[in-house]
Amino acid sequence: MKLRSVLSAFALVLGALLAPGFGVLTATSEAQAATKISHATATSMFSSRGITWSSSGGCSNRNNATCTSFDQLNQATAQGAQTLRSATGCALNITGGTETGHASGTYSHWNGYKLDFGKSTCLTNYVKNTFTYIGVRGDGYPQWQAGSGNVYADEGNHWDVTFYNCGGC
């Protein structure tokens, strides 16, 4: 049992060292190298995999916080959502994209790294049973990390997902 704990701790430390934007061993910033896509391209990618999206305002204007926009979404983020859909087999509904109104930062919604997904038992069970719990975020929300390095935060009524990469697409 002790060896397993040591190996788990080692894996977490190694993952932190190699995670884009976090580790000391990264050479370039993915934030500067990301390929941006349009709202139309993203919705086409999502539709092709049966991923839905919704907006409290029924709109897609990036500058309106009540809309759900995918303008300037990273291509790897859209691919990450596709990978998540394929891996889980769960119905996915995106409730937040690149629109204004989210927290700022390098790996933010606005910069194309994050998507919010509506809560479902299927998705919640998959995240909590497949990924590694890594503790609470600075704002108190619990987080899980996929083997790819992508991070899933349970924000109560939705999953806030940071896609550092496409998740193995």
Side-chain angles (χ1 to χ4, degrees):
M1 189 67 147
K2 187 172 183 158
L3 178 61
R4 184 176 182 179
S5 297
V6 170
L7 290 175
S8 295
F10 178 73
L12 284 173
V13 169
L14 186 59
L17 289 173
L18 298 176
F22 292 99
V24 295
L25 301 177
T26 56
T28 60
S29 171
E30 283 194 31
Q32 296 171 357
T35 299
K36 303 295 183 178
I37 60 174
S38 69
H39 182 83
T41 297
T43 57
S44 176
M45 290 174 72
F46 298 146
S47 292
S48 74
R49 297 291 175 89
I51 300 170
T52 61
W53 57 94
S54 57
S55 155
S56 60
C59 50
S60 62
N61 182 338
R62 179 171 160 82
N63 296 303
N64 182 336
T66 66
C67 298
T68 298
S69 175
F70 305 123
D71 280 331
Q72 296 300 304
L73 188 68
N74 294 340
Q75 182 176 15
T77 300
Q79 291 170 326
Q82 291 178 314
T83 301
L84 180 64
R85 170 74 170 100
S86 297
T88 64
C90 300
L92 297 178
N93 183 58
I94 301 170
T95 59
T98 60
E99 66 279 350
T100 190
H102 298 280
S104 62
T106 301
Y107 297 99
S108 64
H109 282 273
W110 184 261
N111 287 336
Y113 287 88
K114 288 188 169 207
L115 291 173
D116 289 339
F117 293 91
K119 276 286 201 68
S120 72
T121 301
C122 182
L123 181 57
T124 296
N125 287 343
Y126 182 86
V127 170
K128 291 184 177 182
N129 293 324
T130 307
F131 302 148
T132 303
Y133 177 74
I134 58 171
V136 296
R137 206 165 59 183
D139 56 9
Y141 291 113
Q143 303 176 102
W144 285 260
Q145 187 170 41
S148 63
N150 296 332
V151 176
Y152 294 70
D154 184 347
E155 292 190 351
N157 64 351
H158 67 274
W159 284 99
D160 176 79
V161 183
T162 307
F163 291 98
Y164 297 107
N165 58 62
C166 68
C169 58

